[in-house]
Amino acid sequence: MPYVNIRITPGATEAQKAELIAGATELLVKVLNKNPATTFVVIDEVPTENWGSGGISVAERNRKAGG
């Protein structure tokens, strides 16, 4: 029973999320021969102020880039 957790910042459409779920499931079926009916994919949207790299949050990086 595979469990895949995808974390992204907000902004993906419902259609894009559906494609991520389908694609992750398809990959596990193809590569590991997993049953799609028991493959779980969860998408977490992490606010940009809670996601950082290079020592600053994405929100801060976006503010600096815009102004």
Side-chain angles (χ1 to χ4, degrees), residues 2-58:
Y3 172 87
V4 178
N5 185 221
I6 299 172
R7 292 185 177 166
I8 59 174
T9 56
T13 66
E14 187 174 337
Q16 289 170 322
K17 291 175 190 178
E19 192 171 341
L20 286 171
I21 292 167
T25 302
E26 181 181 322
L27 183 63
L28 285 165
V29 170
K30 178 182 174 184
V31 175
L32 298 177
N33 198 31
K34 294 299 179 178
N35 181 349
T38 59
T39 298
F40 297 88
V41 180
V42 175
I43 298 174
D44 290 325
E45 289 186 304
V46 180
T48 57
E49 62 270 12
N50 295 345
W51 190 299
S53 66
I56 64 171
S57 71
V58 172

